[in-house]
Amino acid sequence: DTGVSQDPRHKITKRGQNVTFRCDPISEHNRLYWYRQTLGQGPEFLTYFQNEAQLEKSRLLSDRFSAERPKGSFSTLEIQRTEQGDSAMYLCASSLLQGNSPLHFGNGTRLTVT
Amino acid sequence: QKEVEQDPGPLSVPEGAIVSLNCTYSNSAFQYFMWYRQYSRKGPELLMYTYSSGNKEDGRFTAQVDKSSKYISLFIRDSQPSDSATYLCAMRLNNDMRFGAGTRLTVKP
């Protein structure tokens, strides 16, 4: 399977704990995006990388959230001191470098904060 | 007013029906328009990607864009139970991409 891969698929954590998600993009894709999706809503943009550089962050990305893409390949999204409002599906997507190439999504990590 | 408006449904049709899904948007600067299909507990899957006004056909799917009215549509012909999913419209200007809330479609055998 050469699509976008995300791990884990599900994560249940207690409020206040830290969690980390991983995304492996399509290998030839330079751009990598993180989105959050809640029930009944479309995906909301969090941040994106071009190679290893984080070029844009949404105001939704509070200081408890940090994303990295150290070698321009896989990426991690960490949430510190999780809150119940962080419960959502976290989606990773990747695209080619060309400005308006379509995004290809992974199957997401579903986070439940109890 | 949301930047992208999409009727959430739910929409239920019999197998074989023609399905029409629609979105309106407010930012006339959007240039690229997409439709994604999302099955339950899966990520969105790209179905159609268009740039200009007009129609684009791919098998049973036709995407229509009317930039003057800021209105896009997805038509599904000969709908199948396997088409049952949530359909998300999306539009893009450079790195700014916005999604509709999705329309949940059920095709009954």
Side-chain angles (χ1 to χ4, degrees):
Chain A
D1 187 351
T2 57
V4 178
S5 177
Q6 291 189 247
D7 183 70
R9 290 297 312 279
H10 302 98
K11 179 70 176 179
I12 300 173
T13 191
K14 292 184 177 180
R15 186 163 51 99
Q17 298 295 304
N18 299 344
V19 293
T20 300
F21 311 140
R22 176 181 170 122
C23 172
D24 287 89
I26 294 171
S27 58
E28 61 266 29
H29 286 183
N30 300 92
R31 289 185 172 172
L32 185 149
Y33 303 77
W34 286 99
Y35 281 78
R36 180 173 70 188
Q37 186 179 27
T38 53
L39 198 62
Q41 299 299 316
E44 294 177 297
F45 171 76
L46 292 177
T47 188
Y48 98 95
F49 292 83
Q50 183 166 303
N51 300 314
E52 66 274 9
Q54 188 174 17
L55 296 187
E56 189 173 341
K57 292 194 286 187
S58 163
R59 57 182 171 78
L60 292 176
L61 208 69
S62 77
D63 56 7
R64 296 185 298 105
F65 288 69
S66 63
E68 294 182 343
R69 195 182 183 198
K71 297 182 180 179
S73 56
F74 74 92
S75 175
T76 57
L77 177 68
E78 181 183 16
I79 309 175
Q80 297 182 325
R81 305 181 303 281
T82 51
E83 301 173 356
Q84 286 188 318
D86 297 331
S87 295
M89 172 84 93
Y90 289 85
L91 292 164
C92 177
S94 67
S95 76
L96 292 169
L97 191 60
Q98 287 85 348
N100 289 291
S101 296
L103 272 60
H104 297 267
F105 284 87
N107 281 324
T109 294
R110 182 172 296 279
L111 173 66
T112 302
V113 182
T114 62
Chain B
Q1 181 189 9
K2 289 184 179 179
E3 206 160 11
V4 180
E5 297 275 3
Q6 183 175 10
D7 186 340
L11 181 62
S12 181
V13 301
E15 182 175 356
I18 296 174
V19 176
S20 172
L21 304 167
N22 311 293
C23 285
T24 59
Y25 60 96
S26 57
N27 186 351
S28 58
F30 285 127
Q31 296 177 324
Y32 294 85
F33 305 90
M34 287 139 280
W35 286 95
Y36 286 84
R37 177 175 63 195
Q38 187 171 25
Y39 291 114
S40 181
R41 301 189 179 277
K42 297 285 190 180
E45 172 194 7
L46 181 66
L47 276 180
M48 301 289 282
Y49 179 66
T50 59
Y51 170 66
S52 58
S53 283
N55 293 353
K56 180 178 180 179
E57 190 173 318
D58 184 0
R60 296 184 296 110
F61 298 91
T62 299
Q64 192 174 80
V65 175
D66 183 346
K67 287 187 177 181
S68 62
S69 301
K70 290 182 278 196
Y71 188 88
I72 67 171
S73 300
L74 178 71
F75 298 97
I76 308 174
R77 290 185 301 280
D78 187 26
S79 56
Q80 303 295 308
S82 59
D83 294 329
S84 298
T86 296
Y87 290 80
L88 298 158
C89 65
M91 40 209 75
R92 186 169 184 179
L93 171 63
N94 298 320
N95 288 313
D96 187 5
M97 186 155 163
R98 302 300 171 97
F99 287 84
T103 299
R104 179 184 283 186
L105 170 68
T106 301
V107 181
K108 295 186 175 180

